[in-house]
Structures are given as structure tokens and as C-alpha cells.
């Protein structure tokens, strides 16, 4: 399938009934604005950000104790503040639909442990109010950090909403993460209370996490309270010197009427949650978002770009350690319900996700391209095995989606579905480019820039590019930018992560190409962050685990996004004198990565290398090695004058030309670059 091939054109009546068209007509009635096409609307939204975002506030009737003084203040991307003077609460907006129809479904949920069940808006709202009230009684105050080590189940959603309802700050790690990986995250933010589940199930096997929980608890001296969920059937909580409460006990008690509960409306710069994304050095970045920024951004993207509504059910396969979990729960801002699933995406068969989606009558099906590629390779045909009639939107995200994956949906699911891809990330907990209702679907193409997102493709010299691959940059502030990285004194790390390449311009780290009509294609990471099955992994996370392997004196890890939608992540190790890379050592390295980090940290291959390439300034040359494996010549990937040992790169160039490595690149399609 050639990149850009037209696959589907939505009928005019479908766009006429979309949220985006209703918003466009509101702009005409409210402000006398009329736009000929979407690109014109997008250009206006970025040229007049105060008018646009102020309109979003009014259109969605954002609730605030006080009116904001100004839509934004500041002169640059790092110092801009949004809706200064307002006081807003995320959970209040997420649960607003409860008052409209408390008996309708908000969650369809299942797991490998639990059968499919439903939860109503009234049940969720009641549970959140009881939990939030108990948290307040424990002394949890606005600004206190609360963390979670629980799976993708309703209890975790209740904990998050209760935390944010009282102005405390939420952060989560998925239960498959090993204790060291969790500690290096939570240790940065000094949590006061933790929600723990005893374990989880994956692939039909139950995993007891009580020993990991004990290690995490011991390593967090700030913890005062544990809330314990008996989920996987491992009974007692591990011994702990601090107070422990049962999750079920905290939900017990008489109902608390909506009118008797007070949401903590917080200032514009008050933190909502802390998401973690890793760079190539140091600890994972503690990315902190605000209530008002996420509320404004998610109201926009869920309604206008994903076209969600109370009639929709949104399913995307995710774990609680990925920003997509937060994004799925934000479906509630549009009055939409969410489908939650905890377990392996192939438990019960390679087509398990389709069974889950169809049993829950999801209208939106979402998964990473890697999972879809596995289904495609296995010959899965969902329309032949399941009733897919409820699914009208297919969302593929987390990594670039190939033209063949787009075509597979139309051939094997529905020929009239809206297939959407997007790119954004943890940094903004949303999308920079993504779906545009009414635009045609073309193979591999993301439909357009999202409203209010001033996104461009730039050359290395900062020139605007169209029809060519360049760096994805954002040239104007946006509300869901991080308000800061937690503990980042002077915003030094924040600045270094996004603003060092182009002054006061956000360099996102993706390679992107825009078409003349605003569509775009993402070609993977331009930096050395690993993209493993749609989840970013910092190379430093790998290196920290390997420091505990005595036989390994140094290492280098890269991840290549291949043109067939898959990934190739080799780990190169320089062995200590007297040691060899035998099967036992390979097995032990993989086991430690799996247990101390997560299964996603396990490489596809471990290769013994004579040395690790460094620059003269002491930086590992991850990006040049990745480019070599993706097919670029050694003369183009690095300056030998800048290398500590120029001859080292020759070995990696030879490795890249080995038949088994070169074969990974031979599936390149016309118009689909691999680097």
C-alpha cells in the first residue's frame, strides 16, 4: 500500500453531525467567524490564541470559582501561564455528566481476573465522593502527592478522581514495573499516601507484587499511609510500619449526595498529576500538568478531534503507566464512557482486543501499531469473527502507523470506519497532530494539526518544510504544556529537554512531514529515546539495571522503528575482562531488566561489542548507532573528529550491514523512509 493512498471519504452528513462542525457554526454565530476549510480554522486558532482558547472556555462552560484575569500571561513558551486568576478542578468536570444521567454507563470493564461488568455514573460519583471524604479525614491536603501501583481497573480510576477532587496530586506506575523503576519515579515526588494492589494477572498467570510493594514502601520515607486493594487474591498486605487501610473499607458507608460534596477548585498553576517520561540521562522526568491546562485541552481534543459524546464508548488498550490511561479516562469530559481492560492483549487469542471491544459495544477501538501489526501478521479478520457494527472509529496511536496498517482496518474491520492516528505524548498528555472529522483518510497519514497547536516541520537551520521530513516543532505555547518538572530547580531540565535546539521553540523529538493540505506523516524519534511498543523508555533506565551486572562493563541500547510497523531494539554490551556472552548471561540480563524495570525494557537481541562509542564530551553515541542500523552510511551519522575513538563506529557499521540486520530494512515501501 502506497503512502497517501485515499482509503475513505466521510459522507457529508457525517461531518455535518460532528462536534467540530457544531463548534464551527458556534464561532460563526458567536463571533461572526466563518472558515472555508479546516486549515483556515487551524491557522486562525494559532494566530489568535487568546480568542481561540477564551472561546474554548466559553463553549464548554468551564467551571471556576472566579473569572480568569487573562487567557495567558508571559512572553515565551517557558513562562506563559494560562487562565490566571481562575480556580478549576479536573475531577469536577470529569464527573459533570453524573448530574445529567446518573444511571447511564461510564465504565465497561474486565480483566483476566474479572468478567465484563459495568459501572454507572452515579456509582462512580458516589465512590469518588466517599473516597475523597475519607482521604480528607486522613489529613490529605491540596498539593499532597498520592501515588498508585495498581492495574487498569475501576478502583484505580476512583482513586485518581478522588485524589484530584480534593486538590491532591496524582501519579501512577503500572504494576508490572519492578521496584527500582517505581522508586526512581515516586522517590522524586515524596508521596504522602500510596494505593497498592496485591498483584495483577498477565497471560493467564498471576503475579504477586507484595515483595515489590514492601521494597517501594521502605524506600519512600515520606509515605504515611497505604491503601490496600486485594485484587489478585494474594490476601494479606506486606508488613508495614505505617498506617494501612483496606480500599473496600474506605468505600464503605452511607452515600454522600452531590450537593453535599465540595470539589477543591485550585489556582491556575496548581498541579493535577505527574507523568513520567525518560530522557537519555538521569532520572525519569517528572512532568507536571495543571488542572486548568488539562481541562481546556482535553475538552477540545475529546470533543472536537475525537468526536466523543455521551453516545460513545472509548476503548484503547493501555496500562496505568502510560499517558493513554489518563487520556482514556478524560473521555468523561465529553460525557463519553470508557472501556477498561487489565491483562495481556492476546490472552485468549491474538484477536482478544476485538472480542473485548465488541463485547463492551465500544464505538472507538484503539491500540498501538505494533499490536495491530501482530494481528495482521497472524491473519486476524475481526469482521468475520465478531460483531463490529458498534465500532465507527479506530484509533491507532503510540507510534507511527504504516499505510498497510491503515488498509488492514478497511479490509478486515469496516470499510466505512474513521481510522485516526495521532502524535503527541506524555509531555502534553494529548496530541499535537491527529484526527480531523470530515477530512478523508489516506494510508499512513495523520489528518492534521490540532486546533491551537502551532506545529511545524523545520530543517536543522529552522526553515519551514512542506513535503520534506524535518523536526517536529511547536512555536507557540499551549495550555497542556507542563507547568514544570517536579523538583527541577530553575527549570533547567525542562529547558534542556525541549528548548536547547531552537530558542523558545519546542523541539518534540519526532521526525515529521507535512503535505500541502495539512496532513502529515511521523517517521519516528529523532533523538535517542526508545519507543518500545508505543511507550517511551529512557536509555538510562536500561543502563541503571545493567550497572548491577558484574560481567557487563558498559552498554548501549537503541530502538529502530521499522517500516513494517515493528521495532528492533538491540542491546550492545561491552563485557568485563574474562567474561563471555553465553546463554546464561543473556537469560540473566533479560530477567533483571524484566524484574527491575518492565517487560518492555527487554531487548530483542543482546550483542557483544568490542567497545561503546562515545563523543569527546563523554556522551554515548546512541543516535548515530540507531541511524546506522536504519540504513544511513557511517560518513553521514557522525563526525569522526568529535569521537573519542573514531574506529569504534566501523564495527557498528559492519554490524548494520550484516544480512540479518539489513533484512529488517528491506520491507521499506515507496515513500516510506526508514530514517
Amino acid at each position: 500500500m502506497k503512502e497517501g493512498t485515499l482509503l475513505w471519504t466521510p459522507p457529508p452528513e457525517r461531518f455535518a453531525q460532528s462536534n467540530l462542525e457544531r463548534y464551527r457554526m458556534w464561532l460563526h454565530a458567536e463571533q461572526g467567524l466563518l472558515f472555508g476549510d479546516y486549515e483556515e480554522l487551524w491557522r486562525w486558532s494559532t494566530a489568535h490564541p487568546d480568542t481561540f482558547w477564551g472561546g474554548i472556555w466559553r463553549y464548554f462552560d468551564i467551571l471556576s470559582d472566579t473569572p480568569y484575569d487573562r487567557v495567558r500571561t508571559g512572553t515565551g513558551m517557558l513562562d506563559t501561564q494560562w487562565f490566571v486568576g481562575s480556580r478549576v478542578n479536573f475531577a469536577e468536570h470529569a464527573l459533570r455528566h453524573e448530574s445529567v444521567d446518573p444511571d447511564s454507563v461510564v465504565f465497561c470493564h474486565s480483566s483476566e481476573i474479572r468478567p465484563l461488568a459495568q459501572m454507572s455514573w452515579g456509582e462512580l460519583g458516589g465512590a469518588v465522593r466517599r473516597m475523597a471524604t475519607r482521604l480528607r479525614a486522613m489529613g490529605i491536603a491540596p498539593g499532597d502527592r498520592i501515588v498508585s501501583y495498581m492495574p487498569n481497573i475501576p478502583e484505580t480510576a476512583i482513586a485518581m478522581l478522588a485524589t484530584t477532587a480534593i486538590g491532591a496530586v496524582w501519579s501512577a506506575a503500572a504494576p508490572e514495573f519492578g521496584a527500582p523503576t517505581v522508586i526512581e519515579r515516586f522517590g522524586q515526588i515524596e508521596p504522602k499516601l500510596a494505593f497498592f494492589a496485591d498483584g495483577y494477572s498477565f497471560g493467564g498467570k498471576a503475579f504477586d507484587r507484595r515483595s515489590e510493594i514492601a521494597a517501594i514502601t521502605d524506600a519512600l520515607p515520606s509515605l504515611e499511609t497505604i491503601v490496600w486493594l486485594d485484587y489478585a487474591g494474594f490476601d494479606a498486605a506486606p508488613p508495614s510500619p505505617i498506617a494501612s487501610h483496606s480500599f473496600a473499607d474506605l468505600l464503605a458507608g452511607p452515600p454522600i449526595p452531590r450537593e453535599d460534596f465540595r470539589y477543591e477548585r485550585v489556582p491556575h498553576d496548581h498541579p493535577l498529576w505527574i507523568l513520567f517520561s525518560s530522557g537519555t540521562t538521569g532520572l525519569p522526568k517528572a512532568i507536571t500538568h495543571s488542572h486548568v491546562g488539562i481541562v481546556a485541552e482535553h475538552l477540545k481534543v475529546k470533543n472536537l478531534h475525537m468526536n466523543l459524546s455521551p453516545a460513545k464508548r472509548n476503548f484503547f488498550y493501555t496500562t496505568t503507566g502510560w499517558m493513554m490511561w489518563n487520556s482514556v479516562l478524560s473521555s468523561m469530559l465529553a460525557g463519553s464512557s470508557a472501556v477498561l481492560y487489565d491483562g495481556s492483549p492476546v490472552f485468549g487469542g491474538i484477536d482478544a482486543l476485538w472480542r473485548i471491544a465488541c463485547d463492551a459495544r465500544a464505538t472507538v477501538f484503539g491500540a498501538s501499531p505494533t499490536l495491530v501489526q501482530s494481528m495482521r501478521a497472524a491473519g486476524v479478520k475481526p469482521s468475520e469473527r465478531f460483531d463490529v457494527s458498534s465500532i465507527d472509529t479506530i484509533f491507532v496511536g503510540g507510534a507511527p502507523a504504516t499505510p498497510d496498517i491503515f488498509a488492514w482496518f478497511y479490509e478486515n474491520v469496516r470499510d466505512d470506519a474513521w481510522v485516526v492516528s495521532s502524535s503527541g505524548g506524555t509531555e502534553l498528555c494529548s496530541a499535537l497532530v491527529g484526527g480531523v472529522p470530515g477530512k478523508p483518510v489516506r494510508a499512513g497519514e495523520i489528518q492534521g494539526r490540532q486546533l491551537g497547536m502551532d506545529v511545524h516541520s523545520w530543517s536543522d537551520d529552522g526553515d519551514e518544510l512542506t513535503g520534506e521530513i524535518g523536526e517536529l516543532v511547536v512555536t507557540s505555547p499551549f495550555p497542556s504544556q507542563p507547568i514544570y518538572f517536579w523538583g527541577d530547580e530553575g527549570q533547567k531540565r525542562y529547558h534542556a529537554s525541549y528548548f536547547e535546539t531552537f530558542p523558545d521553540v519546542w523541539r518534540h523529538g519526532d521526525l515529521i512531514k507535512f503535505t500541502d493540505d495539512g496532513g502529515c506523516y511521523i517517521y519516528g524519534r529523532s533523538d535517542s529515546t526508545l519507543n518500545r511498543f508505543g511507550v517511551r523508555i529512557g536509555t538510562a533506565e536500561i543502563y541503571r539495571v545493567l550497572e548491577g551486572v558484574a560481567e557487563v562493563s558498559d552498554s548501549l541500547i537503541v530502538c529502530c522503528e521499522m517500516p513494517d510497523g515493528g521495532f528492533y531494539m538491540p542491546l550492545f554490551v561491552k563485557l568485563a575482562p574474562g567474561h563471555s556472552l553465553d546463554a546464561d548471561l543473556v537469560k540473566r540480563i533479560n530477567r533483571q531488566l524484566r524484574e527491575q524495570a518492565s517487560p518492555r525494557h527487554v531487548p530483542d537481541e543482546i550483542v557483544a561489542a568490542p567497545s561503546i562509542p562515545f563523543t569527546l564530551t563523554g556522551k554515548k553515541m546512541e543516535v548515530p548507532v540507531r541511524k546506522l542500523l536504519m540504513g544511513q552510511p557511517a560518513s553521514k551519522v557522525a563526525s569522526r573528529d568529535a569521537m573519542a575513538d573514531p574506529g569504534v563506529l566501523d564495527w557498528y557499521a559492519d554490524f548494520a550491514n550484516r544480512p540479518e540486520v539489513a533484512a529488517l530494512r528491506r520491507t521499506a515501501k515507496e515513500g516510506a523512509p526508514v530514517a
Side-chain angles (χ1 to χ4, degrees), residues 314-550:
N314 183 21
F315 173 52
F316 190 98
Y317 177 73
T318 182
T319 71
T320 53
W322 188 12
M323 56 78 57
M324 284 305 303
W325 181 81
N326 304 71
S327 180
V328 168
L329 290 185
S330 284
S331 303
M332 293 186 289
L333 290 168
S336 176
S337 57
V339 179
L340 311 179
Y341 170 67
D342 172 49
S344 167
V346 296
F347 181 65
I350 189 67
D351 55 5
L353 295 183
W354 294 102
R355 171 179 48 79
I356 294 163
C358 294
D359 286 350
R361 303 303 294 165
T363 59
V364 180
F365 173 91
S368 73
T370 304
L371 289 173
V372 178
Q373 176 61 24
S374 299
M375 300 173 196
R376 176 171 171 263
V380 172
K381 298 181 182 295
S383 61
E384 295 182 0
R385 295 202 58 189
F386 306 105
D387 177 6
V388 297
S389 59
S390 65
I391 298 172
D392 59 23
T393 302
I394 295 168
F395 177 66
V396 54
T402 65
D404 286 338
I405 286 177
F406 272 59
W408 181 84
F409 287 120
Y410 286 101
E411 294 165 0
N412 297 283
V413 185
R414 288 186 59 166
D415 61 6
D416 60 347
W418 178 33
V419 178
V420 184
S421 185
S422 71
S423 185
T426 304
E427 296 90 341
L428 54 144
C429 198
S430 189
L432 294 169
V433 292
V436 179
K439 289 190 72 173
V441 175
R442 300 183 184 276
E445 182 183 82
I446 298 174
Q447 289 177 303
R449 301 165 172 95
Q450 307 292 265
L451 293 176
M453 297 296 194
D454 203 0
V455 184
H456 302 272
S457 176
W458 278 13
S459 71
D460 290 344
D461 296 326
D463 297 324
E464 183 90 10
L465 299 175
T466 301
E468 298 180 53
I469 299 173
E471 288 279 355
L472 191 163
V473 299
V474 188
T475 57
S476 299
F478 48 93
S480 65
Q481 264 183 251
I483 49 176
Y484 42 73
F485 294 170
W486 196 275
D488 180 22
E489 187 176 350
Q491 300 198 94
K492 294 177 182 177
R493 198 174 184 204
Y494 187 7
H495 179 273
S497 296
Y498 308 110
F499 300 105
E500 278 193 337
T501 304
F502 304 110
D504 206 37
V505 170
W506 178 290
R507 174 188 170 273
H508 196 60
D510 281 339
L511 297 170
I512 192 168
K513 179 181 74 176
F514 283 103
T515 64
D516 290 335
D517 66 355
C520 62
Y521 300 87
I522 296 289
Y523 296 111
R525 300 295 299 168
S526 62
D527 58 18
S528 57
T529 302
L530 309 175
N531 189 334
R532 184 65 162 167
F533 301 116
V535 178
R536 292 183 187 179
I537 298 171
T539 56
E541 298 182 16
I542 306 286
Y543 302 146
R544 278 194 289 274
V545 173
L546 291 175
E547 287 175 357
V549 180

Side-chain angles (χ1 to χ4, degrees), residues 27 90 107 112 170 281 399 490 675:
L27 284 174
F90 169 84
F107 293 149
E112 293 184 9
W170 173 262
T281 59

Side-chain angles (χ1 to χ4, degrees), residues 236-250:
S240 174
I242 61 178
S244 180
H245 300 271
S246 160
F247 196 101
D249 288 346
L250 295 187

Side-chain angles (χ1 to χ4, degrees), residues 28 83 87 114 157 197 236 292 356 361 407 427 438 568 579 599:
H28 180 53
F83 302 109
R87 298 186 68 90
R114 297 172 173 175
V292 72
I356 294 163
R361 303 303 294 165
E427 296 90 341
Y568 173 54
H579 294 283

Side-chain angles (χ1 to χ4, degrees), residues 227-245:
V227 179
W228 183 259
L229 176 67
D230 182 4
Y231 169 64
F234 291 110
D235 301 323
S240 174
I242 61 178
S244 180
H245 300 271

